[in-house]
Amino acid sequence: MKAIKKHIALVVMLLLLISATAQKAETPDYRYDVGAKINDMTIAISGNMIVATNDGLVGIKPGSNDLLFNFTDYGRVKPEDITNIPNSPYLIVKQVGALIGNTKQAVIDHVTGQVIFSTEKNDWTHVGQANVVMPQNKLFVSGTRKTGAGEKKGSNVAPRIAVYDLATGNEDYSFFLLEPGKVSMKYFAVTGTPLMLEDKLFIPTSQGIIGKSKDGNTLWENDLKNIQWMVSSEDGKDIYAFKTNDAKSKTSIYKIGSDGKDLWPDEAKVKGVISNFEILPQGIAVVSDKDTAGKSVLAGRSESKITLLSAQNGEDLWNKAPKTKGFVQHFYVMDDGILFGVHSGGINKVSFDGKPLFKKPLKTGENIITMAETDNGLIYITSEDANIVNLETGEQVWKKPLKYKKADAVSSTFDEKNNRYLISTDDELLAIDASTNEVTTLSKTKFEGKEDPNHVEVRNGGILLTSSQNLRLIDWNGKGNWQEYYKAPGKSIAGSIIAGVSAVASMAAASASAYQAGANKNVLGNYNKQGYKAKLAQDMFADIASASFAELSKRFKATSATADAQFILTKLDDGTGLVKVNKDSGKVEKEIVLKDKKPEYQVDDQAGILYYKADSNSIYAYDLTK
């Protein structure tokens, strides 16, 4: 009997010990019943969860068990019905009815949960275009509306334009594109996004661009038909209009004045679709991509073309354009010229008058992951090699390029404490002294589960190497401090896991937003300085007078709530779940048992929230910072 009691006491002590080392959190911090079958879950840039259901669209903001919003006006919402406007608090729900022209659209602010605009509440019977325009923070709508009081007969079928303030949802102004009842043999349709300049609106249509004042008066018209998008110079005096002919794989560029008159004798033509465009003091820099995949051999190679056009007449300023022999992956404007890197391998630099600045094009491996400035020159890292080169001559700084077997996972960081670059290539961690350029193999790492490290990070106590199921911390000399492995629940689970928004993707998107607001997106960043692109996003968000943009700015300024932990899905004693592992100690700080063999979940790393689809109608949220 005493032996049995002693055995029970040992079991109890063991259970208490296990409980003390890993906090169980099966009970969620918040529960949400979305009221219908869940079709899709997405974390928005705001951190709020957007859920498409059979009844509509639901917004979730952790902090209470109440839904932020439940938009049911259109019934079932499919993922393809939703358009997230990049780097903004807005999403558009669009559904096309069975009848031709019967389109319903709504704009929702996913920070506040407010429906800012809907076709029904604003009496639109048909919407052709509904474009969010930044940085003005406006919504441009074209289509037809119900006849209002005092309007002429037939005005409900006349094409109409309206502009709404997205900060308030109020209509700024509206007018008819054509006078109602006016007989015309021409069919007018809005063909692209308008250009807003102060109190003017330039609208691209199937019959030409029409310049309008806010009161609807026509300022001018021209015959540039079917323009798709436009940009203006900083002073608003010069406007560039673009039209792509997919059949001919060509894009035409036109330059007009703010009065609508042609400023070039002829349009400029470039091959393919424009992927980068920048107005410079030296001319107009254009990158266009020609994709011939699946086309005949006569179509030529798939590649990008870099062109510098004269701002005066649109002529090509370079007699001989720099060869790319592939798609341009990196494009940067420098003080003395244009620097670019090609995805298939190769880096080159050309002056604004078309002369090569490198002694010869630099050969590199495929997939240039990183191009950045350092105190020693330009560092590049690809899937096959790395080096630092002189930005003026293109000569190598490291005597030999650092070459390695084509790696599936390459990551890098700068070890400021020891003044060295760290590059992880599959199972090998290389260190390059920034002063001497000496290359050494710092560590060989063997991860379990057929994984290789895909992330390297400098911690206070050493260097952390991680993959989806493994973590290893080594000291400054490459010796192991600790290593942990958490077996994946099974191969079949991978398709059910929805990854959280990654910092890299968020920052890249933020950079694009900043460019839209006037910042230069084609600036080469410094490898050793973190947060450059995040700062661009913060500045852009702060410049737009809106409470929702202010919230986005706060989120981008905030330090990640889970910067010191990694979350891993694994098989626990009580079923499949998530473990929170401390990056400095390797200890498990929390376990969340999800029980589901194939859990569907998302992690918001920035705010430290786990969203888990508990059943077909319910979502649980866990605060991972506790």
Side-chain angles (χ1 to χ4, degrees):
M1 190 69 178
K2 287 183 179 180
I4 294 174
K5 287 183 178 180
K6 187 177 181 179
H7 179 72
I8 292 172
L10 286 171
V11 171
V12 170
M13 287 179 65
L14 182 61
L15 290 173
L16 289 172
L17 181 63
I18 293 172
S19 178
T21 57
Q23 177 189 354
K24 296 287 182 67
E26 292 88 349
T27 302
D29 295 289
Y30 310 104
R31 301 169 185 257
Y32 304 96
D33 182 355
V34 299
K37 183 178 180 295
I38 296 169
N39 297 320
D40 187 64
M41 296 163 51
T42 303
I43 296 178
I45 192 174
S46 60
N48 293 339
M49 173 63 75
I50 309 300
V51 186
T53 77
N54 276 357
D55 280 353
L57 198 68
V58 171
I60 293 174
K61 183 177 183 178
S64 75
N65 291 315
D66 297 327
L67 300 178
L68 177 65
F69 66 85
N70 191 3
F71 180 75
T72 59
D73 295 9
Y74 297 168
R76 183 186 181 189
V77 173
K78 302 175 184 176
E80 56 266 31
D81 297 336
I82 306 168
T83 300
N84 274 295
I85 306 303
N87 312 293
S88 82
Y90 311 121
L91 59 84
I92 296 177
V93 182
K94 179 179 179 180
Q95 289 186 339
V96 179
L99 298 176
I100 297 175
N102 183 20
T103 302
K104 299 182 291 185
Q105 294 193 56
V107 179
I108 299 174
D109 183 328
H110 53 72
V111 172
T112 64
Q114 293 180 318
V115 179
I116 300 172
F117 167 87
S118 72
T119 48
E120 299 75 33
K121 292 180 180 178
N122 289 277
D123 294 329
W124 289 87
T125 56
H126 166 70
V127 170
Q129 297 275 344
N131 305 113
V132 173
V133 181
M134 292 295 171
Q136 292 89 342
N137 201 29
K138 304 293 183 182
L139 176 70
F140 168 85
V141 181
S142 66
T144 56
R145 296 173 78 170
K146 294 179 181 177
T147 304
E151 291 182 351
K152 296 180 180 179
K153 185 179 179 181
S155 61
N156 61 327
V157 294
R160 188 152 189 160
I161 303 297
V163 174
Y164 296 85
D165 182 359
L166 286 170
T168 64
N170 297 330
E171 181 182 293
D172 277 355
Y173 55 91
S174 68
F175 50 77
F176 290 104
L177 188 60
L178 298 173
E179 187 67 25
K182 182 179 179 180
V183 178
S184 174
M185 299 300 291
K186 297 179 179 179
Y187 172 71
F188 282 81
V190 177
T191 58
T193 304
L195 180 66
M196 292 183 182
L197 292 179
E198 295 180 349
D199 58 346
K200 302 178 183 66
L201 191 66
F202 303 151
I203 307 163
T205 78
S206 54
Q207 298 301 326
I209 302 173
I210 302 176
K212 291 274 192 177
S213 61
K214 287 185 177 181
D215 58 9
N217 287 331
T218 298
L219 304 174
W220 51 263
E221 296 181 46
N222 66 25
D223 58 358
L224 295 182
K225 300 177 182 179
N226 301 313
I227 294 299
Q228 294 155 337
W229 55 288
M230 296 176 281
V231 296
S232 72
S233 57
E234 193 172 346
D235 59 11
K237 293 180 179 179
D238 300 330
I239 299 167
Y240 297 89
F242 304 82
K243 178 172 63 177
T244 298
N245 186 326
D246 292 324
K248 295 184 178 180
S249 297
K250 289 184 179 180
T251 297
S252 296
I253 307 172
Y254 307 85
K255 183 178 180 180
I256 61 175
S258 56
D259 57 0
K261 294 180 180 178
D262 291 330
L263 296 181
W264 285 348
D266 297 296
E267 78 267 29
K269 293 182 179 181
V270 296
K271 294 180 179 179
V273 177
I274 292 177
S275 58
N276 216 318
F277 176 88
E278 188 160 343
I279 303 170
L280 304 173
Q282 300 84 357
I284 314 302
V286 181
V287 180
S288 56
D289 300 334
K290 182 181 178 183
D291 188 357
T292 59
K295 298 181 180 179
S296 74
V297 292
L298 298 176
R301 73 162 68 232
S302 293
E303 63 179 359
S304 299
K305 184 180 180 183
I306 302 175
T307 309
L308 190 71
L309 302 175
S310 165
Q312 281 68 44
N313 54 31
E315 292 181 357
D316 192 338
L317 292 174
W318 292 343
N319 293 325
K320 192 176 182 181
K323 293 182 179 180
T324 61
K325 296 182 180 180
F327 289 114
V328 171
Q329 188 176 13
H330 297 263
F331 179 80
Y332 305 107
V333 176
M334 315 293 289
D335 291 337
D336 56 349
I338 291 172
L339 175 74
F340 63 93
V342 181
H343 183 275
S344 55
I347 296 173
N348 206 351
K349 189 179 180 184
V350 61
S351 68
F352 294 114
D353 57 5
K355 296 178 181 178
L357 292 176
F358 285 178
K359 291 183 178 179
K360 59 181 179 179
L362 183 67
K363 292 182 179 181
T364 73
E366 288 186 10
N367 186 24
I368 305 174
I369 300 163
T370 299
M371 281 179 66
E373 277 192 292
T374 73
D375 294 338
N376 299 331
L378 170 77
I379 187 171
Y380 73 84
I381 302 172
T382 80
S383 294
E384 302 174 42
D385 64 344
N387 206 335
I388 290 180
V389 297
N390 186 304
L391 263 172
E392 294 182 1
T393 65
E395 293 180 332
Q396 299 177 358
V397 173
W398 298 345
K399 293 180 180 179
K400 290 184 178 180
L402 184 62
K403 293 191 175 182
Y404 35 85
K405 184 181 178 181
K406 190 171 183 179
D408 294 325
V410 177
S411 58
S412 69
T413 190
F414 187 74
D415 177 5
E416 192 170 353
K417 177 182 174 69
N418 297 288
N419 193 34
R420 60 187 177 182
Y421 301 94
L422 300 175
I423 301 178
S424 173
T425 64
D426 287 343
D427 62 349
E428 187 175 42
L429 180 64
L430 305 168
I432 303 95
D433 190 294
S435 299
T436 66
N437 301 323
E438 182 183 357
V439 180
T440 58
T441 297
L442 188 62
S443 176
K444 291 272 191 177
T445 298
K446 186 175 182 180
F447 276 173
E448 296 186 56
K450 297 182 180 180
E451 288 190 339
D452 290 316
N454 56 23
H455 178 70
V456 58
E457 181 178 335
V458 175
R459 307 293 301 173
N460 290 330
I463 302 163
L464 181 70
L465 295 160
T466 63
S467 64
S468 62
Q469 307 297 137
N470 291 266
L471 302 93
R472 184 190 183 206
L473 186 74
I474 59 176
D475 64 21
W476 306 115
N477 298 314
K479 295 180 180 178
N481 284 351
W482 54 262
Q483 185 165 338
E484 299 292 340
Y485 167 64
Y486 299 88
K487 187 177 181 180
K491 292 182 179 179
S492 61
I493 202 169
S496 301
I497 300 170
I498 311 169
V501 178
S502 72
V504 175
S506 297
M507 293 305 103
S511 177
S513 287
Y515 173 65
Q516 291 176 356
N520 185 349
K521 70 173 179 177
N522 295 317
V523 173
L524 186 67
N526 191 300
Y527 185 84
N528 302 341
K529 292 181 180 178
Q530 303 298 317
Y532 167 73
K533 291 182 179 178
K535 181 64 167 58
L536 289 179
Q538 293 167 23
D539 293 344
M540 188 277 288
F541 293 147
D543 286 343
I544 298 176
S546 160
S548 294
F549 274 98
E551 284 297 312
L552 293 184
S553 183
K554 285 181 185 178
R555 178 172 165 85
F556 270 76
K557 288 177 183 177
T559 303
S560 172
T562 58
D564 297 326
Q566 178 163 331
F567 300 92
I568 300 176
L569 190 72
T570 188
K571 187 174 182 180
L572 303 172
D573 292 339
D574 296 332
T576 299
L578 210 68
V579 290
K580 177 183 179 182
V581 184
N582 185 285
K583 289 182 177 180
D584 295 309
S585 67
K587 294 181 179 179
V588 175
E589 296 180 336
K590 175 182 282 192
E591 290 183 2
I592 300 175
V593 179
L594 303 178
K595 296 182 180 178
D596 199 336
K597 290 183 178 180
K598 295 182 180 180
E600 291 186 42
Y601 71 95
Q602 290 194 19
V603 175
D604 176 8
D605 295 320
Q606 187 69 18
I609 298 293
L610 163 67
Y611 298 94
Y612 164 56
K613 180 181 172 182
D615 57 47
S616 62
N617 290 18
S618 303
I619 292 174
Y620 290 172
Y622 298 89
D623 186 343
L624 300 174
T625 63
K626 292 181 179 179

